[in-house]
Amino acid sequence: MSSKLMIDKVQEGLCTKYLGRTILFSREVDSTNQWAKELAMYGAYEGTIVTAETQTEGRGRFGRAWISPTGGLWFSVILRPNLRPAETVKLTFVAGLAVAKVLSNFFNLKVETKWPNDVLVNKRKICGILTEMNTTGETVNYVVVGIGVNVNFDVEKIFPRQLRRGVTSLENELGRKVKLEELFKALLEQMDNLYELFRKREFGRIFDEWKKYASFLGCQVQVTSPAEKINGLASDIDDDGSLVLKLEDGTIKHIFVGDVRLEAK
Ligand code: BTN
């Protein structure tokens, strides 16, 4: 599909207040987050979205590579919330919840959220979110929320064997392809609704809903952070977005950065 047609189809009747007045599409970029950050630096408006058919250097958290073939939904949203950096981190939950809601409402799949930035279907990762921000002191200049959803491709055919484990795509789960532009539109509308709550600082509502999809809560997990590996019971997500971990000796620890893995029973 040509880029113009793709954008026309997404913008046709798009029912949003903040997101998607400008949508830019490219066949191939290094990373849509990189592209969005450059545009944001030059003053792009809140709600501007960039998307690409493929990314040559798609990136995940901790600088990991993000495999981005044709058939996926790779996009980044530029936001300029009037909030402090500590609150802006919560946009990852806004995006994750939007994806979880759309995938479960549209396709009736078993969708889960996994702290802090993953969405899983049938226990496998289908979506990752990379939130990056630019600040001056306590002022947020812009935030780029990058969302990658594995949609119309077969993970087995695309991913190297060692990276396939625990990854899935909509095509793998549904056994068919879906209309990318319809999914994109639904995601933007859902994220727009949740962004409105975020702007009103109704974080409690966002976290409460996000937690409904978070089946890892109440389970023994291992958290790998840049500094250490810790085991404990994932007992809650605090209103600041941190993972509340109950250690074996009963100590409560709040983790702000890391990856969660369920411990084998
Ligand atoms: C992760 O799970 O570590 C986050 C992955 C984020 C991938 C998306 S794809 C669109 C945007 N552009 C990037 O380079 N990364 C994000």
Side-chain angles (χ1 to χ4, degrees), residues 15-30:
C15 202
T16 55
K17 203 163 161 187
Y18 308 100
L19 269 55
R21 199 159 304 159
T22 304
I23 303 179
L24 304 175
F25 178 92
S26 171
R27 219 197 63 67
E28 182 177 285
V29 292
D30 49 3

Side-chain angles (χ1 to χ4, degrees), residues 162-178:
Q162 68 276 18
L163 298 178
R164 252 180 239 164
R165 243 185 90 233
V167 180
T168 194
S169 71
L170 264 184
E171 182 173 322
N172 288 132
E173 296 303 321
L174 299 171
R176 65 176 169 90
K177 296 199 190 291
V178 302

Side-chain angles (χ1 to χ4, degrees), residues 211-225:
K211 283 190 244 180
K212 285 188 192 149
Y213 291 93
S215 351
F216 71 95
L217 287 175
C219 296
Q220 279 298 128
V221 296
Q222 178 170 75
V223 186
T224 307
S225 72

Side-chain angles (χ1 to χ4, degrees), residues 81-91 133-141 143 198 201 203:
N82 192 11
L83 293 173
R84 294 204 318 271
E87 289 178 324
T88 304
V89 175
K90 299 170 192 168
L91 280 168
M133 66 174 122
N134 180 286
T135 55
T136 309
E138 277 297 286
T139 305
V140 173
N141 302 321
V143 186
F198 172 88
R201 297 168 195 248
F203 305 128

Side-chain angles (χ1 to χ4, degrees), residues 73-265:
L73 199 48
W74 323 122
F75 68 101
S76 303
V77 183
I78 298 171
L79 297 171
R80 298 184 183 277
N82 192 11
L83 293 173
R84 294 204 318 271
E87 289 178 324
T88 304
V89 175
K90 299 170 192 168
L91 280 168
T92 302
F93 295 87
V94 167
L97 178 57
V99 174
K101 285 183 83 156
V102 168
L103 296 187
S104 79
N105 294 344
F106 274 60
F107 305 110
N108 201 16
L109 291 167
K110 193 181 169 317
V111 180
E112 285 171 50
T113 47
K114 185 159 84 77
W115 184 85
N117 72 321
D118 293 349
V119 180
L120 316 181
V121 169
N122 294 324
K123 305 279 173 209
R124 290 163 183 252
K125 179 159 170 170
I126 200 160
C127 164
I129 294 149
L130 179 66
T131 303
E132 300 183 274
M133 66 174 122
N134 180 286
T135 55
T136 309
E138 277 297 286
T139 305
V140 173
N141 302 321
Y142 63 81
V143 186
V144 167
V145 183
I147 302 175
V149 190
N150 299 337
V151 187
N152 291 329
F153 58 84
D154 180 357
V155 169
E156 293 262 313
K157 289 195 183 131
I158 303 278
F159 279 52
R161 188 175 293 277
Q162 68 276 18
L163 298 178
R164 252 180 239 164
R165 243 185 90 233
V167 180
T168 194
S169 71
L170 264 184
E171 182 173 322
N172 288 132
E173 296 303 321
L174 299 171
R176 65 176 169 90
K177 296 199 190 291
V178 302
K179 287 201 171 133
L180 216 49
E181 62 285 359
E182 284 179 10
L183 176 64
F184 192 15
K185 190 169 171 178
L187 282 176
L188 295 184
E189 289 179 350
Q190 187 59 254
M191 191 167 161
D192 195 77
N193 282 333
L194 295 168
Y195 184 57
E196 169 122 67
L197 287 185
F198 172 88
R199 287 176 51 114
K200 291 186 192 154
R201 297 168 195 248
E202 295 195 27
F203 305 128
R205 281 177 65 185
I206 296 166
F207 281 119
D208 284 350
E209 234 191 312
W210 188 93
K211 283 190 244 180
K212 285 188 192 149
Y213 291 93
S215 351
F216 71 95
L217 287 175
C219 296
Q220 279 298 128
V221 296
Q222 178 170 75
V223 186
T224 307
S225 72
E228 54 184 345
K229 271 190 172 45
I230 329 173
N231 297 336
L233 181 84
S235 56
D236 202 3
I237 304 296
D238 202 355
D239 282 355
D240 57 9
S242 64
L243 172 67
V244 184
L245 204 62
K246 188 169 181 188
L247 309 189
E248 218 174 312
D249 64 3
T251 319
I252 299 290
K253 205 168 166 136
H254 285 244
I255 318 259
F256 288 88
V257 185
D259 275 329
V260 163
R261 193 168 59 83
L262 251 71
E263 280 196 345
K265 292 215 173 100

